[in-house]
Amino acid sequence: MQRVDLRRVLRTSGATTTLVSVLDALAEPGCVVDLAGTVVLGDPSIDAATAHRVVVDQECVGEVRGGVGAAAVVQLLVELLQREREKRGLVRETLDRYKEISLLYGVAEKLTGVLDAHQIADIVLDEALRVLRGAGGAVLLFDHRTRQLEVLTCRGPKAGAPEFSDIRQVSPDRGILGRVYRTGQAEVVDDLIHEPDYKSFDEPVRSALCAPLRGGVEILGVLRFTSQTPQRWTAGDLKLVTSLATHAAAAMDNALLHRARMRHQRLASHLERYVSPLLLRAALADADHAEVVVLFTDLRQLDRTVIDADAALDTRSAVAIHVVLSHGGAVNRVAGDMLVAVFPGSSRKDCALRAIAAGRALAERLDALEIASGVPAIGISTSSLGSRSPVDLREPITCAASLQSSAQGGQVRVDRATQQCLHFDVEFAAVRPISVGDRTLECFEVVS
Amino acid sequence: MSQRVLIVDDEPHIRLLLEQTLEDLEDAGAELLTASDGEGALELIRSERPELVLLDVMMPRMNGFDVCSRIKADAELSATYVILLTAKGQMYDRARGADVGADLYMTKPFDPDEVLERAAEVLGIELDG
């Protein structure tokens, strides 16, 4: 209910002249006095014993001092003040809508061109909390790897997000956040005490308003606002936050697509050094699940001395390259006689099977060469490329090289990751683990 | 002497919106004045010397650009801080506002918090919260 300030109303309503005329026209002079006892209209010398209270909607706002006609002046004032109260209520409503419009315009403007998810969350929360005063806010995004709602950022009074001070993950199966995420429906909760998964804190959050971040057909996460006051949120707040969530989700969707594109480009620029464009395209068809298997061998492992070592090496290299390419791999020859081949793809099992088949074929073909036969030892290591860290093949190459150096001619040795994805398809025998740097690498030998 | 803010707009509901927006300044001791046209505004500015004028642009007979131009051309009034508050949003209008010496150009619908903050800043009034 809007409070009435008698002095302010008399000044802004333009009714002062009329009231003064009425007071002057009374048989006995009168005056209007505010709550502080100050005369705001009329003759200040009127006796206080003849005061008539001015009550508007059960609130006393002043009094009229005077004779018989004072009661009529009171009625006139009450009518005036009631209308003023209604008008002020309408003005307040309009100003609140102006604030909301400004918020949405401001957010839309600031989000333009922003491609960082954290920055988007910061902008949305900062702008919203200027209007939703006294509230706390948080933005959570669903992480497909952890299968949890991850807290991206939170703001506001400590009590606005106490559960997020230590906890950075929320299960999508629990609580109001999980419910909003699963259903895609915005919700207001008047009092969280009644929620099944509610946890109390020293300064408990009582009411919450959550809206889904809907990016196209997918729910990306949840936008949440909380308050220490129960029943804080209205249907109007729900509409506003839902609109805000729409802006935020569109920007987030863009940002996530941009991040995926940048990751794709990073992968491509790394793999371009190792993989032909055709294979690269196939491998990165699903960049989130790109896998690569590295095969390492020594082309100089010969069963006899040859006259022309370089020619022998060239012949063996040509054979090796042909074998690798025919098994869907690509070759990058390192340090002259060591061969590194990569087998990229979206299925780890498929990549590993191709690598092992290539290793076996390589051993057979090189051993059968007349000019320079000898059975090479093969090392195979598996790595996943669909992670956030930049692509780096040094570790799988190092592992594959270590496996190869521990093996004898004709043996194909693999790491635990390769063995695990193929243990139903290929027979392996565990062999003594080897040291690689400060790590111990489990080794498995392919049983012919 | 208390500080004064003059609100100039030919539409009564806009004057009302701005008065209610700036109520906190009144509580802090400032005086709010209103005018419904350009000529009335100039008379009040010369007689009351407000520190701040919130000036609509689209008014009959004398528009806000003309009023601002006359304020800024008068040596005794040129220090008055003028905020043009208008529905006209073209770059040309903003440029014209700058040409006539307006200190700030704000568009409608205005952000009430922004108007109050800026007015308080101009008057040197510290608001609560």
Side-chain angles (χ1 to χ4, degrees), chain B residues 9 13 16 42 47-48 61 68 119:
Chain B
D9 201 303
H13 69 276
L16 194 55
L42 283 171
S47 64
E48 302 295 328
R61 293 188 298 280
C68 184

Side-chain angles (χ1 to χ4, degrees), chain A residues 101-331:
Chain A
I101 288 169
S102 294
L103 165 63
L104 294 174
Y105 285 172
V107 164
E109 191 178 351
K110 288 183 180 180
L111 289 181
T112 304
V114 177
L115 293 173
D116 178 81
H118 280 93
Q119 211 175 330
I120 291 166
D122 287 345
I123 289 169
V124 168
L125 285 185
D126 287 343
E127 291 297 308
L129 291 174
R130 283 179 54 229
V131 174
L132 304 173
R133 293 180 189 272
V139 175
L140 298 93
L141 289 186
F142 184 73
D143 188 318
H144 289 277
R145 289 179 305 122
T146 63
R147 313 296 299 172
Q148 300 284 298
L149 286 163
E150 304 276 343
V151 178
L152 199 59
T153 192
C154 56
R155 286 277 194 284
K158 180 184 170 187
E163 66 271 42
F164 297 145
S165 58
D166 296 320
I167 300 168
R168 304 306 293 181
Q169 290 182 339
V170 175
S171 168
D173 301 318
R174 294 176 52 239
I176 179 177
L177 285 165
R179 196 161 66 233
V180 169
Y181 174 75
R182 293 193 310 275
T183 63
Q185 297 292 321
E187 277 193 42
V188 166
V189 177
D190 283 340
D191 201 332
L192 286 166
I193 280 178
H194 304 304
E195 283 288 303
D197 299 317
Y198 176 72
K199 287 183 188 177
S200 66
F201 298 88
D202 290 339
E203 294 175 79
V205 167
R206 293 297 295 276
S207 56
L209 192 165
C210 300
L213 296 168
R214 189 186 296 277
V217 295
E218 188 187 357
I219 307 294
L220 303 176
V222 181
L223 175 61
R224 163 180 157 140
F225 294 96
T226 51
S227 172
Q228 285 180 275
T229 310
Q231 300 180 0
R232 155 82 166 82
W233 307 107
T234 65
D237 293 329
L238 184 63
K239 280 186 183 175
L240 175 64
V241 170
T242 303
S243 294
L244 206 54
T246 302
H247 284 293
M252 284 286 184
D253 210 14
N254 255 357
L256 294 174
L257 281 172
H258 175 74
R259 189 168 73 184
R261 190 168 66 238
M262 294 306 292
R263 186 165 64 226
H264 191 287
Q265 284 177 359
R266 275 200 304 275
L267 283 174
S269 75
H270 279 85
L271 285 179
E272 273 167 3
R273 287 181 259 164
Y274 304 101
V275 180
S276 72
L278 271 174
L279 283 172
L280 187 64
R281 270 204 296 279
L284 297 183
D286 184 356
D288 279 340
H289 299 94
E291 306 281 349
V292 69
V293 175
V294 174
L295 179 152
F296 190 100
T297 192
D298 182 354
L299 295 173
R300 280 198 184 276
Q301 238 162 341
L302 301 171
D303 62 353
R304 57 187 167 85
T305 307
V306 295
I307 297 172
D308 189 342
D310 288 341
L313 181 59
D314 286 344
T315 303
R316 287 170 74 84
S317 298
V319 168
I321 289 169
H322 176 77
V323 167
V324 168
L325 288 179
S326 65
H327 285 82
V331 170

Side-chain angles (χ1 to χ4, degrees), chain A residues 8-30:
Chain A
R8 176 174 280 154
V9 169
L10 288 175
R11 180 182 62 77
T12 59
S13 68
T16 305
T17 308
T18 306
L19 282 167
V20 166
S21 301
V22 169
L23 287 168
D24 287 345
L26 295 176
E28 293 176 45

Side-chain angles (χ1 to χ4, degrees), chain A residues 8 11 88 95 98 130, chain B residues 20-21 23 26-27 111:
Chain A
R8 176 174 280 154
R11 180 182 62 77
R88 290 175 65 79
L95 287 173
Y98 270 31
R130 283 179 54 229
Chain B
Q20 198 153 320
T21 297
E23 267 180 359
E26 249 189 336
D27 295 339
D111 181 343

